[in-house]
């Protein structure tokens, strides 16, 4: 039966806060600015993907690396999208599990006598300010200069201001190509392997746990590989200011081929057109769906809500938004591990699809939270009927899979246009209703209460 809800204080969850994450503005291809001054790069995409699958809200603030390090350690920002971990750094910040290992290498100008670290005696060495090599380099007989960026370091090396640069190997190659530094080359062996992590300010253990889980999920689902291929395996940006994705680069190549269709023939044109259409559909599916469960994501929800709202206006129907949060899922993760947790989430996704009509929409909102959008409802009772059906489907999850751990769901319901006309407002009100359900025994459902502010 639906619960008669009473007003209560809402607990603050890690998903409810907007977290400020720092990103270096000149550290391509990992963290940098595009030609519209928006933060992009491999580290930025990984952090965003991990946050998205967990329902975390983050904004990216860019600055010089030295400033970001200081702001993180002084807790003026909540985290940095990518940072090499070390024991010294871990005293001041927390690190997620690593998602990438990189090596450093010496770079010199052609004809230099420097071929290894042993040749650096009395040399003028440049590193990035407050980067890992700046933290750990302590040779007293070497003059070390800290440049504000890797680009500045390599440009100074090219101009003769420095004798050698000790920087991440792949980034060095990237910047040589982007800045056309034909006289700069890497020498010697790969040095100082370092692990890239998301760095967080001290004191946020739940946020750290959420990011770790998000990284695990995007690696298991293949999303991490897609990001890696985009920046390193397929077509990375051809200039620092040019952020053409692999998909757009492929499309441009196809359009260029149209100019020679007279030679290629109509059959080849039709084949390429069909391939382009298939690629567009593939990219659209990736953009609108959760990689783990195959359900839609918030972008698809927004698209479907606008369609449902328009239909409701025409036909005087209601639209219901059901926000579903699993009860007991943290226990499943803690006892049985994240792999089993992922299997449970996929099973829940399947049960939710079975509980609603084909014309309704089911999305994963991040973590163990789902949203069901019910369109063309004649009355409020119809929403309650579906919520009850969802509980019945979830309460019959297989016992062997859960190993005896009870798993239920709390469902908050908000209605368009009764509780609001915009998607974000309805989500907030459904979220409030869901918390009332949790506070009053869990494994139940209820509408957004009329006496809540």
């Amino acid at each position: 039966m639906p619960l008669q809800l009473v007003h209560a204080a809402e607990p603050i969850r890690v998903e409810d806060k907007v977290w400020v994450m720092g990103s270096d503005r000149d550290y391509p291809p990992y963290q940098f600015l595009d030609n519209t001054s928006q933060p992009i790069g491999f580290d930025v995409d990984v952090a965003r993907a991990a946050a998205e699958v967990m329902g975390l809200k983050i904004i990216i603030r860019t600055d010089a690396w030295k400033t970001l390090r200081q702001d993180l350690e002084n807790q003026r920002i909540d985290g940095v999208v990518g940072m090499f971990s070390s024991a010294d750094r871990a005293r001041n910040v927390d690190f997620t599990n690593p998602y990438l290992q990189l090596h450093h290498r010496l770079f010199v100008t052609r004809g230099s006598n420097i071929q290894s670290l042993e040749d650096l005696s009395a040399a003028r060495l440049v590193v990035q300010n407050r980067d890992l090599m700046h933290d750990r380099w302590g040779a007293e007989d070497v003059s070390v200069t800290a440049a504000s960026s890797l680009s500045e370091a390599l440009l100074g090396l090219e101009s003769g201001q420095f004798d050698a640069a000790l920087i991440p190997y792949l980034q060095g190659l990237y910047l040589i190509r982007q800045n056309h530094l034909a006289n700069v080359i890497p020498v010697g062996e790969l040095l100082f392997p370092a692990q890239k992590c998301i760095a967080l300010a001290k004191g946020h253990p739940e946020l750290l746990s959420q990011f770790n889980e998000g990284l695990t999920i995007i690696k298991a689902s293949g999303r991490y590989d897609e990001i890696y291929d985009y920046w390193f395996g397929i077509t990375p940006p051809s200039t620092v200011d040019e952020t053409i994705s692999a998909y757009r680069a492929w499309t441009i190549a196809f359009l260029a081929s149209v100019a020679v269709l007279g030679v290629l023939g109509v059959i080849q044109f039709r084949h390429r057109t069909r391939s382009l259409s298939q690629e567009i559909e593939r990219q659209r599916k990736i953009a609108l769906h959760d990689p783990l469960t195959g359900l839609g994501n918030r972008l698809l929800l927004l698209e479907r809500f606008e369609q449902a709202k328009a239909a409701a206006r025409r036909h005087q129907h209601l639209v219901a938004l059901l926000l579903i949060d699993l009860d007991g899922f943290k226990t499943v993760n803690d006892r049985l591990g994240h792999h089993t947790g992922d299997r449970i989430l996929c099973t829940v996704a399947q049960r939710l699809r079975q509980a609603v009509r084909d014309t309704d929409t089911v999305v994963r909102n991040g973590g163990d939270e789902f949203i069901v959008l019910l369109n063309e409802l004649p009355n409020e009772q119809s929403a309650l009927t579906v919520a009850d059906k969802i509980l019945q489907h979830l309460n019959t999850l297989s016992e062997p899979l859960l190993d005896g751990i009870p798993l239920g769901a709390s469902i908050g319901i908000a209605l368009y246009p009764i509780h609001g006309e915009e998607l974000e407002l309805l989500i907030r009100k459904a979220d409030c209703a869901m918390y009332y359900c949790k506070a009053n025994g869990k494994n139940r459902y209820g509408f957004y209460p009329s006496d809540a502010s």
Side-chain angles (χ1 to χ4, degrees), residues 333-370:
N333 265 343
D334 292 344
R335 292 189 189 176
L336 306 180
H338 292 293
H339 179 69
T340 299
D342 289 348
R343 290 172 59 198
I344 295 292
L345 292 175
C346 291
T347 302
V348 168
Q350 183 180 7
R351 296 294 179 91
L352 290 176
R353 287 194 189 101
Q354 294 169 352
V356 300
R357 302 165 297 181
D358 291 340
T359 54
D360 297 322
T361 301
V362 182
V363 306
R364 184 180 178 212
N365 197 38
D368 61 342
E369 196 171 87
F370 299 84

Side-chain angles (χ1 to χ4, degrees), residues 34 39 68-70 105 146 184 238 265 298 373 384 422 440:
D34 66 8
L68 292 177
R69 285 279 309 274
Q70 293 171 342
R105 198 169 181 183
V184 175
S238 58
R298 286 283 282 267
L373 189 71
L384 297 176
E422 299 303 324
N440 286 273

Side-chain angles (χ1 to χ4, degrees), residues 221-265:
S221 67
R223 177 64 181 135
Y224 176 88
D225 292 336
E226 292 173 0
I227 296 171
Y228 188 92
D229 285 344
Y230 168 67
W231 287 105
F232 305 114
I234 301 177
T235 310
S238 58
T239 69
V240 172
D241 288 331
E242 193 171 311
T243 56
I244 301 176
S245 68
Y247 161 61
R248 289 181 60 196
W250 185 94
T251 305
I252 290 171
F254 165 69
L255 292 175
S257 71
V258 174
V260 292
L261 280 177
V263 177
L264 298 177

Side-chain angles (χ1 to χ4, degrees), residues 44-64:
V44 175
D45 285 354
V46 168
R48 281 175 168 160
E52 180 183 352
V53 298
M54 299 306 298
L56 298 173
K57 305 177 183 69
I58 65 171
I59 58 173
I60 309 293
R61 199 197 84 185
T62 61
D63 213 322

Side-chain angles (χ1 to χ4, degrees), residues 280-337:
I280 291 172
E281 182 58 29
R282 188 182 75 86
Q283 293 291 334
R284 184 179 184 276
K285 184 175 181 180
I286 291 173
L288 296 178
H289 288 80
D290 170 55
L292 175 66
T293 63
L295 297 178
N297 59 19
R298 286 283 282 267
L299 290 177
L300 181 66
L301 178 65
L302 177 60
E303 180 181 294
R304 296 287 177 82
F305 175 73
E306 293 301 323
Q307 295 170 358
K309 185 166 69 170
R313 285 173 177 169
R314 287 194 303 269
H315 304 296
Q316 300 299 304
H317 287 151
L318 297 176
V319 177
L321 188 143
L322 281 58
L323 193 147
I324 304 160
D325 189 87
L326 300 182
D327 300 323
F329 184 74
K330 186 177 185 301
T331 304
V332 172
N333 265 343
D334 292 344
R335 292 189 189 176
L336 306 180

Side-chain angles (χ1 to χ4, degrees), residues 124-182:
R124 297 169 298 169
L125 179 68
V126 62
V127 297
Q128 184 178 14
N129 197 352
R130 298 210 69 182
D131 197 7
L132 190 62
M133 292 301 97
H134 193 206
D135 290 350
R136 70 185 298 172
W137 192 259
E140 295 181 359
D141 58 346
V142 176
S143 173
V144 179
T145 299
S148 63
S149 69
L150 295 180
S151 295
E152 179 183 312
L154 288 181
L155 289 170
L157 178 62
E158 169 87 354
S159 67
Q161 184 180 354
F162 308 113
D163 300 317
L166 184 56
I167 62 175
Y169 175 49
L170 290 180
Q171 281 171 282
L173 297 180
Y174 181 93
L175 291 170
I176 286 172
R177 183 175 71 250
Q178 303 312 314
N179 294 308
H180 307 292
L181 304 178

